[in-house]
Amino acid sequence: MAATDTTRTAATGAALGFSTLDREVRLDTLPVEGVLPPWLAGSLLRTGPAQFEAGDQKLNHWFDGLAMLHRFSFEGGRVSYANRFLHSRAYRAVQETGKLGYGEFATDPCRSLFGRVTSMFRPHFSDNGAVNVSRVDDEFIAMTETPLPVVFDPETLEAAGVAYEAPGHLSTAHPHHDPQSGELLNYAAKLGPRSTYRFYGQRSREEQRPIASIPVRKPAYVHSFGLTDRFLILAEGPFVVDPMRLATGGRPYIENYTWEPERGGRFHVVDRATGEVRGPYVSDPFFTFHHINAFEDGGSLVVDLCAYEDASIIDALYLDRLRGGGDVPSVRARRFTIDLDGGTVSSRDLYDGNFELPRIAYRTHNGRPYRYAYGIGGEGTWASRVVKLDVQDGTGTHWAADGCFPGEPVFVPEPGAEVEDAGVLLSVVLDAARGTSFLLVLDSGDLSELARAEVPHHIPFSFHGQFFRA
């Protein structure tokens, strides 16, 4: 492809990938090209923004879009598909009034100063679960960065209200599952005159336990955190907020944060058994959305992140820029090594290329030494390839196709396999030329294409999903 053709295709794909999907379908069979592994049985559940308007108001940022759930189910070599808007109270408010009823990431309803201050201390949270899906006990939940995950039925995709409330004003949509306790481990930030970072465990709707609390004057934007067998790891980039500015600033949520590189990066390390906090361990400044993995190495703690040089990625993800095919900042898989007793932090890049939306062999290698990570990459514009990264030697294997834009590759291990990378990757891919999307199935060993299942419409670029076995 010539450079001008590539740029034109990227702009077309971006415009389509960030446009509203208003079609909801339930299809018993999708046309499949190729052959699916006979052992692949279960459902890929995903969430992501799919409506970028609230009546006449255009939403500002990719993260603001109203959530839609997608289900791809596998059985006997066949694939079924369904999609449905997440009927959260945020979604219902838009449908009933034609207006945004709750503040989102970078779009806010008009409110008086009194209303803003009141909402700080008696929060009016959105429950627009457009970031990730998970499971607590036997319930499936859609999550965003507010403390209100929404329960939904994995078959019908029907929402069933808020599951529980996290212990703070902000939370993450990237909890960890503890295989020993069965808990969902997560983080929340409680904002106020004395703000705190809080780690907690959630076993069911009713069972929530505190693990640790860390005082903080200016909380950082935190999208995910790290986990090992012994530790919880909170990585703070210097993108921070004065809590009172959120109440009185008169700006949408994320626009109250400021980049203060002189603070450096900071790592807080929490003992999971005792709640004891070590650190902060200070590094060069960075910004991150996603942890890749973490593990202990003697007296050191290894933390792998998708690291940006600064927080300019936030501005790059405003919809007007994305739809214009604008460039996005570089992001690197970066390894931070923390000397827990000596207090020093060193870092190095693991791969010479962009790497985001990371996944690993979670059940066998999360919190432990590992070799392979999977993500998306590309240069300059929107992600154009699936990347398999060997974190030991820094090499990458790629899948790409002209005019196609893959999403997060979800790793599904082959049952009974003892090799770390034995399985498949599932990625929802936008085909810009055809104006539709397909589910891509790759061999996770060499990224050879095994199959694809065609969807009759485009699926807007989304964030995260999980595979649940039948």
Side-chain angles (χ1 to χ4, degrees):
M1 241 189 197
T4 54
D5 292 338
T6 302
T7 302
R8 189 179 302 113
T9 302
T12 301
L16 183 60
F18 300 107
S19 64
T20 290
L21 168 64
D22 54 15
R23 183 182 182 188
E24 296 177 318
V25 300
R26 186 179 179 90
L27 303 172
D28 292 336
T29 303
L30 293 180
V32 174
E33 177 184 327
V35 179
L36 295 167
W39 54 262
L40 185 60
S43 294
L44 173 67
L45 299 174
R46 295 189 60 79
T47 187
Q51 180 175 323
F52 300 99
E53 305 83 25
D56 295 332
Q57 181 180 14
K58 294 182 179 180
L59 304 182
N60 294 330
H61 200 277
W62 185 26
F63 295 1
D64 293 333
L66 296 177
M68 175 177 280
L69 298 168
H70 303 265
R71 174 180 55 75
F72 294 88
S73 294
F74 304 84
E75 183 180 8
R78 298 185 302 274
V79 184
S80 62
Y81 170 75
N83 68 312
R84 184 172 183 167
F85 278 105
L86 179 69
H87 285 217
S88 63
R89 66 185 189 185
Y91 174 81
R92 293 195 305 271
V94 172
Q95 306 314 306
E96 292 167 3
T97 68
K99 298 179 181 179
L100 198 66
Y102 298 84
E104 300 295 345
F105 187 81
T107 309
D108 213 10
C110 294
R111 291 183 297 172
S112 66
L113 175 61
F114 175 78
R116 291 194 299 271
V117 173
T118 299
S119 71
M120 175 68 184
F121 297 102
R122 299 180 63 183
H124 197 52
F125 293 125
S126 171
D127 57 349
N128 179 33
V131 180
N132 203 357
V133 298
S134 190
R135 185 163 56 186
V136 175
D137 197 11
D138 60 351
E139 292 188 309
F140 293 80
I141 56 175
M143 311 179 75
T144 183
E145 294 181 332
T146 69
L148 302 177
V150 174
V151 175
F152 69 93
D153 184 301
E155 172 60 28
T156 65
L157 306 182
E158 182 177 355
V162 171
Y164 58 86
E165 186 167 345
H169 295 82
L170 306 170
S171 188
T172 86
H174 289 279
H176 285 281
H177 278 274
D178 185 335
Q180 279 74 44
S181 69
E183 288 180 314
L184 203 65
L185 303 175
N186 209 345
Y187 148 96
K190 179 74 171 179
L191 306 183
R194 293 186 177 92
S195 298
T196 53
Y197 297 136
R198 299 175 174 186
F199 282 105
Y200 68 98
Q202 193 83 36
R203 187 183 296 272
S204 66
R205 286 196 188 210
E206 296 78 21
E207 294 181 81
Q208 184 181 99
R209 71 175 181 94
I211 298 173
S213 180
I214 306 169
V216 57
R217 189 175 69 84
K218 297 177 76 172
Y221 174 78
V222 175
H223 187 85
S224 63
F225 63 96
L227 178 80
T228 72
D229 288 342
R230 293 175 55 204
F231 299 117
L232 297 157
I233 304 113
L234 179 64
E236 285 186 289
F239 191 50
V240 297
V241 68
D242 180 341
M244 292 307 298
R245 185 177 179 182
L246 281 173
T248 62
R251 301 168 65 88
Y253 159 69
I254 199 60
E255 294 180 7
N256 295 284
Y257 283 75
T258 57
W259 179 250
E260 300 182 5
E262 66 279 4
R263 296 169 60 91
R266 303 183 185 190
F267 293 87
H268 303 269
V269 179
V270 177
D271 187 301
R272 291 173 55 182
T274 66
E276 177 189 0
V277 181
R278 304 177 68 172
Y281 301 92
V282 180
S283 72
D284 291 337
F286 63 87
F287 179 82
T288 187
F289 289 117
H290 299 115
H291 283 247
I292 304 171
N293 199 8
F295 58 90
E296 298 156 46
D297 183 12
S300 296
L301 188 60
V302 177
V303 183
D304 293 347
L305 307 171
C306 296
Y308 297 85
E309 295 305 316
D310 56 35
S312 59
I313 181 62
I314 296 288
D315 289 339
L317 298 181
Y318 276 82
L319 288 167
D320 57 348
R321 301 187 187 189
L322 290 171
R323 288 167 177 155
D327 289 352
V328 294
S330 296
V331 56
R332 294 295 188 258
R334 185 166 299 164
R335 173 160 292 180
F336 294 85
T337 302
I338 304 168
D339 183 335
L340 292 174
D341 293 326
T344 59
V345 181
S346 61
S347 67
R348 64 181 178 89
D349 289 349
L350 296 172
Y351 170 64
D352 186 20
N354 286 323
F355 190 80
E356 250 294 11
L357 299 182
R359 301 301 293 258
I360 62 169
Y362 187 89
R363 291 186 180 181
T364 56
H365 288 76
N366 186 53
R368 300 171 183 175
Y370 72 116
R371 182 163 186 173
Y372 301 111
Y374 312 93
I376 59 173
E379 300 304 323
T381 55
W382 199 247
S384 57
R385 62 193 183 195
V386 176
V387 180
K388 177 184 179 181
L389 170 59
D390 186 326
V391 302
Q392 293 184 10
D393 66 18
T395 59
T397 305
H398 308 139
W399 175 93
D402 286 348
C404 290
F405 301 87
E408 172 194 51
V410 176
F411 175 73
V412 183
E414 181 178 351
E418 297 182 359
V419 179
E420 179 184 344
D421 62 344
V424 297
L425 299 178
L426 305 178
S427 174
V428 177
V429 180
L430 178 68
D431 186 332
R434 298 182 63 178
T436 57
S437 296
F438 60 89
L439 180 70
L440 175 68
V441 184
L442 299 176
D443 185 309
S444 51
D446 60 7
L447 296 200
S448 59
E449 183 172 332
L450 300 177
R452 58 175 68 182
E454 300 284 345
V455 178
H457 54 241
H458 86 287
I459 296 177
F461 293 134
S462 63
F463 302 122
H464 305 290
Q466 309 293 335
F467 185 83
F468 299 93
R469 293 196 183 276

